[in-house]
Amino acid sequence: MTRSARSQTKADAKRAYLIEQATRCLAEKGYARVSLRDIARESGVSLGILHYYFASKEDLLLAVISGYKERFLRELEQELLSAPLEGWMDRLLAVLRRALVEDQAVHRLWYDFQVQAMYLPAFRDGVREIRARLFELIGEMLDRLRREAGLSPLTEADEAVPLLYSLIDGLFFQALLDEADDPEQTVNRLEQALPRMLALLLSPSSQTER
């Protein structure tokens, strides 16, 4: 490995470490209550070092959210598009359960990020890009259900995708809001409500493609 390659590898590892520390700090306290100085202190580096890798707190939050949502999207794509269709609902619920139980603090940042995008133009493109990928995934899953299971949404695809996204996102957001009261009961409610709501929105196709 050349010296420049070693330097790049070291820099990448340092950046990943700072993102990991920032994720923990932001997830615990929320975007508005954390400064770059706080994150630098928690990471054991100087503020100058943190600024070397991230120009601003906005830049750092974007890196945190992008990294987390990329992993979340890859998991959804694997479970819903690459795996066999049989059992897709159970796998979807398992992904959502992990997000609610294991990654709830980080996933809350996604909602924080969207709220901040209403006021900070720097976040808007990031929100649009992530939402576009989620919409695309839902569209591909609907197409797969139509082709392989004979199920179609009760409305046109361009209307069904945002409708389904809003349904799932709304249930998930409500679960996060209620989580502090009774985490297990909250997850159970989501697991019961989502299949029922999807059943109301999907119906057998008049013609099933084989």
Side-chain angles (χ1 to χ4, degrees):
M1 183 182 291
T2 65
R3 180 178 298 177
S4 62
R6 285 196 299 271
S7 296
Q8 185 61 50
T9 299
K10 186 176 180 180
D12 290 345
K14 187 70 169 182
R15 190 174 190 276
Y17 167 76
L18 293 173
I19 290 175
E20 179 183 348
Q21 295 302 306
T23 300
R24 181 176 57 80
C25 193
L26 289 164
E28 288 175 359
K29 301 178 182 179
Y31 177 79
R33 297 172 58 195
V34 174
S35 68
L36 280 181
R37 192 175 299 277
D38 295 329
I39 295 170
R41 183 172 58 251
E42 293 288 332
S43 303
V45 301
S46 68
L47 186 59
I49 290 294
L50 191 59
H51 269 300
Y52 175 80
Y53 288 94
F54 302 98
S56 63
K57 189 170 76 164
E58 290 82 5
D59 187 31
L60 182 52
L61 178 60
L62 181 57
V64 167
I65 293 298
S66 296
Y68 170 67
K69 293 302 284 188
E70 181 63 33
R71 294 190 299 274
F72 182 69
L73 281 161
R74 281 202 304 267
E75 187 175 13
L76 284 174
E77 288 168 351
Q78 172 63 37
E79 299 295 352
L80 299 181
L81 301 181
S82 299
L85 184 64
E86 183 179 1
W88 71 272
M89 177 62 75
D90 290 338
R91 295 195 304 273
L92 171 60
L93 291 172
V95 172
L96 297 181
R97 171 177 276 273
R98 282 192 292 274
L100 276 173
V101 175
E102 299 174 18
D103 298 324
Q104 60 169 275
V106 184
H107 211 95
R108 279 199 300 263
L109 282 175
W110 164 237
Y111 293 99
D112 198 353
F113 184 57
Q114 292 180 90
V115 170
Q116 296 298 327
M118 296 181 187
Y119 306 99
L120 299 173
F123 290 159
R124 289 174 193 160
D125 286 344
V127 168
R128 290 190 188 104
E129 181 178 343
I130 292 169
R131 285 170 62 92
R133 286 195 56 192
L134 286 165
F135 277 37
E136 181 180 3
L137 189 153
I138 292 171
E140 291 178 1
M141 187 61 199
L142 285 177
D143 185 59
R144 188 180 188 194
L145 287 171
R146 179 181 58 80
R147 288 185 288 103
E148 298 182 31
L151 295 174
S152 291
L154 297 175
T155 184
E156 296 297 326
D158 58 347
E159 297 175 347
V161 169
L163 181 63
L164 284 172
Y165 174 83
S166 298
L167 165 66
I168 297 170
D169 189 63
L171 289 172
F172 199 91
F173 183 59
Q174 189 61 51
L176 284 174
L177 288 175
D178 293 343
E179 187 277 332
D181 299 328
D182 189 336
E184 190 61 31
Q185 186 178 11
T186 296
V187 173
N188 289 339
R189 282 201 300 268
L190 174 66
E191 291 176 335
Q192 293 168 13
L194 184 56
R196 289 200 301 266
M197 299 304 292
L198 288 176
L200 293 174
L201 294 171
L202 298 172
S203 66
S205 304
S206 56
Q207 288 186 325
T208 304
E209 291 185 8
R210 299 295 183 187

